[in-house]
Amino acid sequence: MGFLRYVLGPKLYMEYGTKMHEPGGLEKLGDQILSTLNLMWNIGFYTSPLLATFLYRRGYFVMDSITTLAKISTSIGIIVVISMVMRGLGRSQSASYTKMIKAMEMLKSPKTEEEGKRALRMFDFEFKSWTVDFDVKDLQSDDKKKCQVAAKNSTRSFRLAALPCEIAAYLAIQTFGIKMIYPGSVKLLQSYMRPMLISGRAKLIEEEHGIRNKVLTSDSNEIDTIFVDNRSKGSNGKTLVICSEGNAGFYEIGIVGTPLALNYSVLGWNHPGFEGSTGTPFPDQDKNAIEAVVQFAIYKLGFAVEDIILYGWSIGGYSTLWAASCFPDVKGVVLDATFDDILYLAQPRMPASLGGVVRIAIREYCNLNNTELAHNYNGPISLIRRTEDEVIAEDNQLDTNRGNFLALGILKYRYPYIFQSPQLNRCKQTLAKPLEVRNSTADDDLCLSRLITYASDQGKKYPMAIGEDYADDVRHQMADFLLRKHFRDFKSSHCTQLPIEYFNIPFDIPVEHGFVFT
């Protein structure tokens, strides 16, 4: 039974404080054979329609060929068993593996479970073998209540003529579509990036004293998280920044570096299907994941909702806005290089003839509409645009950057009487060029005073009716002020790490007489 632990146990990547684990001869050979067979299986799975056609034409789907197929299957099975035994023998000769297996054995007894967990934290291994640290289903019913956010109902009526498109859309999104939207969930990409991910994770654990935890969601996905506690390092550390990565981003090498450099406490997590997280990054699974991560921060890590900043980069902006709509009392939301609606990014990248299929696939199965979702959040929000963004802008043209449309969609909803057609047109012209940084002026002070006066009298519930009786020149002045308070340019491409000077607590209207968001 003990030897089976070596055979079937998790793959060891590193013992912290040392270098990456280098497999011995037998373990290395066994791993190479199993990895090759796994690669062949994955290739066969994705090419199964072509492979099945080829085998059918060759006559392998007849009774006479059953014997041949059985011999091939048996041979492969024998190779797998021999390879696993070789791997187990090699692992049993490794001092690091022996220590890890002993720590895993300690988890079996309640008396030694905590000691075993502490010992296991010294190793980096396949995360599926780590025990659950926080299960959202263990919360009291009031605490684990799922977020209820109003969503627009589809107005499409069923038409028999559209049935082929419906079927094509479903098949496309369930197979290659979701992987195109979230390439970080592709296992081949993860295998290629694994040395970088292990190295980045080791840096967070060894240098930043990060703690890796497994969070179980309401739909039973296991979410891989990392927590760096900087509460002892000063005032910034008392604020927790929850980082939501992009569609090919991982917390190991992602955006956590920016708030860490400012000594904030940081909680990073990987989308479902990314590295140690299980599942597939469809919207429902991703929303359950970020809800569970925020609840983990509140109920396990001990942070008040008011001390949490939600930070999202690129497609992670959707996860961030969903969390903000579920936990509206958070300290603020920071969105970096985020778009308004994924449909407008997907359509130009697909043939025009497939436009109908793309629309159905997005709207029905992956409707990442950030502008619509942002209307459910009343708190402070800040947007950062990359002026050389090659991902969410067409041909790097600044006026096509989808962050422009997100910003104006949010501001138009929050201040409908200020952002009317003339002001929106002026703002579009402003955003067609890099937004210049300027010092505060007397006009800015006057604009802020108007906001404070209104919010102190009427409260800060959005949409605000401020500006209903303003002349156009005053609306222009207010619109320019609000745009600059919510929006900032960073001269960079899409994937560059955000410098610390661009990460700030979002602008909020100071309110007198104790008014709060309602």
Side-chain angles (χ1 to χ4, degrees):
M1 192 69 179
F3 181 67
L4 283 178
R5 278 283 191 180
Y6 292 99
V7 175
L8 303 174
K11 183 175 182 179
L12 175 64
Y13 296 129
M14 172 182 284
E15 182 177 1
Y16 293 119
T18 63
K19 58 183 180 179
M20 287 184 66
H21 174 68
E22 292 293 339
L26 282 175
E27 181 188 354
K28 187 174 183 179
L29 181 58
D31 270 341
Q32 286 178 341
I33 296 172
L34 292 171
S35 297
T36 302
L37 291 173
N38 185 59
L39 177 62
M40 292 170 63
W41 170 261
N42 285 326
I43 293 173
F45 176 80
Y46 288 112
T47 61
S48 55
L50 297 174
L51 189 60
T53 303
F54 173 78
L55 292 174
Y56 176 77
R57 288 180 176 177
R58 291 281 179 163
Y60 282 96
F61 291 162
V62 295
M63 289 300 296
D64 293 343
S65 300
I66 296 296
T67 304
T68 303
L69 292 174
K71 288 179 180 179
I72 294 173
S73 301
T74 303
S75 299
I76 293 174
I78 292 171
I79 293 172
V80 169
V81 171
I82 292 173
S83 300
M84 294 182 74
V85 172
M86 289 169 57
R87 186 176 68 177
L89 288 171
R91 288 177 173 180
S92 65
Q93 297 168 14
S94 166
S96 294
Y97 251 109
T98 301
K99 286 194 288 184
M100 185 182 75
I101 294 299
K102 286 181 179 178
M104 294 185 74
E105 292 290 339
M106 295 171 70
L107 297 178
K108 295 180 177 180
S109 170
K111 294 181 180 179
T112 58
E113 184 178 6
E114 286 303 316
E115 184 182 351
K117 275 195 171 186
R118 285 195 297 271
L120 273 179
R121 290 195 186 279
M122 299 304 298
F123 299 93
D124 192 314
F125 53 90
E126 288 175 314
F127 200 55
K128 63 184 179 182
S129 297
W130 186 258
T131 55
V132 173
D133 297 287
F134 177 80
D135 186 348
V136 74
K137 289 176 282 190
D138 289 341
L139 296 176
Q140 297 297 321
S141 57
D142 289 342
D143 295 331
K144 68 181 178 183
K145 183 171 55 180
K146 287 181 66 63
C147 176
Q148 300 294 330
V149 176
K152 293 182 179 178
N153 294 323
S154 175
T155 57
R156 289 193 313 110
S157 57
F158 176 77
R159 292 179 299 163
L160 185 61
L163 184 60
C165 286
E166 299 273 358
I167 295 173
Y170 176 80
L171 293 175
I173 200 71
Q174 294 289 337
T175 53
F176 63 86
I178 194 65
K179 297 184 185 304
M180 290 179 66
I181 296 171
Y182 284 93
S185 64
V186 177
K187 298 304 178 185
L188 289 176
L189 176 64
Q190 292 179 29
S191 296
Y192 171 75
M193 296 184 65
R194 184 146 294 126
M196 291 179 283
L197 298 178
I198 295 170
S199 176
R201 196 158 55 235
K203 182 178 179 181
L204 289 170
I205 291 173
E206 293 175 347
E207 298 181 14
E208 302 290 347
H209 307 293
I211 299 176
R212 200 177 182 194
N213 291 284
K214 179 181 286 188
V215 174
L216 196 66
T217 68
S218 59
D219 52 358
S220 299
N221 278 333
E222 298 172 353
I223 302 302
D224 184 2
T225 73
I226 192 83
F227 171 55
V228 178
D229 191 350
N230 283 332
R231 281 176 281 197
S232 63
K233 290 188 176 181
S235 58
N236 276 5
K238 294 176 174 57
T239 296
L240 177 69
V241 180
I242 299 180
C243 301
S244 299
E245 302 289 343
N247 66 353
F250 304 83
Y251 72 68
E252 291 89 343
I253 51 176
I255 60 176
V256 299
T258 300
L260 277 179
L262 292 166
N263 287 330
Y264 286 101
S265 292
V266 171
L267 178 57
W269 64 286
N270 284 329
H271 295 284
F274 283 52
E275 187 54 1
S277 297
T278 64
T280 307
F282 283 105
D284 285 346
Q285 294 186 41
D286 203 63
K287 289 186 286 190
N288 287 333
I290 186 62
E291 282 183 51
V293 167
V294 177
Q295 288 169 323
F296 169 65
I298 297 168
Y299 296 105
K300 182 79 171 183
L301 302 181
F303 285 90
V305 176
E306 297 80 8
D307 292 329
I308 294 175
I309 292 177
L310 300 169
Y311 174 28
W313 171 64
S314 192
I315 209 169
Y318 182 80
S319 314
T320 293
L321 286 169
W322 177 263
S325 63
C326 294
F327 302 91
D329 295 325
V330 292
K331 194 168 190 174
V333 165
V334 179
L335 300 176
D336 178 16
T338 302
F339 52 85
D340 59 332
D341 185 345
I342 198 170
L343 178 65
Y344 303 125
L345 293 176
Q347 284 184 322
R349 289 161 173 78
M350 298 296 288
S353 59
L354 298 177
V357 175
V358 172
R359 174 174 285 275
I360 293 172
I362 293 296
R363 287 290 180 247
E364 293 299 314
Y365 306 108
C366 201
N367 189 26
L368 308 185
N369 190 327
N370 288 324
T371 301
E372 182 180 299
L373 196 53
H375 294 172
N376 296 304
Y377 171 62
N378 271 349
I381 190 167
S382 172
L383 294 94
I384 300 162
R385 177 180 68 171
R386 309 297 184 97
T387 58
E388 299 172 1
D389 201 310
E390 73 284 11
V391 174
I392 65 170
E394 296 177 20
D395 300 322
N396 284 45
Q397 297 297 311
L398 206 53
D399 61 331
T400 68
N401 190 297
R402 300 310 306 186
N404 302 351
F405 301 92
L406 175 60
L408 295 180
I410 292 172
L411 291 171
K412 184 178 185 300
Y413 170 77
R414 291 190 169 197
Y415 307 97
Y417 292 107
I418 291 176
F419 286 88
Q420 298 185 356
S421 293
Q423 289 71 43
L424 289 171
N425 290 333
R426 280 173 60 96
C427 287
K428 288 177 183 176
Q429 293 173 9
T430 300
L431 293 174
K433 301 177 292 184
L435 202 61
E436 296 179 1
V437 178
R438 71 182 187 194
N439 295 324
S440 181
T441 65
D443 286 343
D444 290 342
D445 294 338
L446 181 58
C447 290
L448 181 59
S449 176
R450 293 187 185 114
L451 288 171
I452 293 173
T453 300
Y454 178 90
S456 298
D457 291 341
Q458 305 296 328
K460 290 193 291 186
K461 182 179 180 180
Y462 296 115
M464 282 188 179
I466 184 173
E468 188 174 6
D469 55 349
Y470 287 174
D472 259 358
D473 59 334
V474 178
R475 287 197 182 106
H476 291 331
Q477 188 184 71
M478 290 292 293
D480 183 69
F481 170 78
L482 287 166
L483 178 64
R484 292 176 182 277
K485 281 296 184 182
H486 290 83
F487 196 86
R488 190 173 182 184
D489 271 342
F490 171 35
K491 184 176 171 58
S492 164
S493 59
H494 189 74
C495 296
T496 308
Q497 183 83 33
L498 188 71
I500 58 174
E501 60 267 24
Y502 285 86
F503 188 88
N504 303 106
I505 295 175
F507 165 75
D508 193 13
I509 305 171
V511 180
E512 300 170 357
H513 307 133
F515 276 85
V516 295
F517 285 110
T518 58

